[in-house]
Amino acid sequence: MKTKCTMKKIAIFASGAGSNAENIIRYMRENQCGGEVALVVCNRPDAGVVERARRLDVPVHVMTRAEINDACTMLGLLDEYSIDVVVLAGFLLMVPTFILDRYKDKVVNIHPSLLPKYGGKGMYGRHVHEAVVAAGETVSGITIHLVSEVCDEGRIVFQASVPVSSADTAADVERKIHALEREHFARVISEEFL
Ligand code: GRF
């Protein structure tokens, strides 16, 4: 177990239900791996992640796109919480360049497909799984990667795959992908970024 003074602070940026955010918060608490989620940033007041973070007693800041894109506001917030690592977990906005510059190789995203397949603009959430099913893929998976200025193109850190059968619907694939995310995302963060 790492001591308190080496504890790395994680900020999670999310826009949706927040199942990944909750898994990461719990994993860091339960595994004493040297990290804790100190802050959740969300751009949608009605997103499930807001309620989840509150329930888990993690500070959550709901911010507009303009606030997120304002360097003074955003870097000030990340400094206030002494953030070391930024994790995107279903965050639907582009991360401003000033965050990528400040947190070089410390901004990580999870994408619900085997990149480079089914990545890029418009490829998020259920859209990805619908495209996978429509193309008759026999395998899909997750990609954990560094965030760069180009959507879904940063260096790949980890991938895991799962079979897709011809009977699977997009909802079935989504369930399988969420199971993979639960199995790997927090662990990879702790092993590669803390
Ligand atoms: C996940 O499938 C993640 O891979 C993708 O968006 C989804 C977010 O789900 N980037 P949740 O909000 O964490 O439940």
Side-chain angles (χ1 to χ4, degrees), residues 13-19 21 40-55 60-63 89-92:
F13 287 25
S15 309
S19 64
V40 170
V41 170
C42 180
N43 61 307
R44 288 187 33 206
D46 58 340
V49 69
V50 174
E51 188 46 41
R52 285 194 205 236
R54 289 197 178 125
R55 197 165 17 85
V60 53
H61 285 244
V62 177
M63 304 174 76
F91 185 60
L92 297 181

Side-chain angles (χ1 to χ4, degrees), residues 30-31 40 96 125 127 129 133-134 157:
E30 286 160 16
N31 289 279
V40 170
H127 299 296
H129 311 307
V133 168
V157 176

Side-chain angles (χ1 to χ4, degrees), residues 63-76 96 98-99:
M63 304 174 76
T64 63
R65 182 194 293 253
E67 286 168 335
I68 289 168
N69 285 328
D70 182 79
C72 194
T73 305
M74 204 56 219
L75 294 178
F98 59 79
I99 294 184

Side-chain angles (χ1 to χ4, degrees), residues 16-20 90 110-112 178 181:
S19 64
N20 281 281
I110 188 159
H111 186 82
H178 270 123
E181 292 176 339

Side-chain angles (χ1 to χ4, degrees), residues 96-146:
T97 312
F98 59 79
I99 294 184
L100 301 180
D101 291 344
R102 167 78 75 85
Y103 290 90
K104 191 166 164 34
D105 296 342
K106 292 287 180 190
V107 184
V108 57
N109 181 44
I110 188 159
H111 186 82
S113 75
L114 294 170
L115 289 175
K117 285 184 135 182
Y118 305 103
K121 209 167 158 40
M123 277 294 162
Y124 61 89
R126 186 63 70 84
H127 299 296
V128 175
H129 311 307
E130 281 165 356
V132 164
V133 168
E137 297 282 358
T138 55
V139 67
S140 190
I142 59 169
T143 302
I144 298 171
H145 65 96
L146 293 177

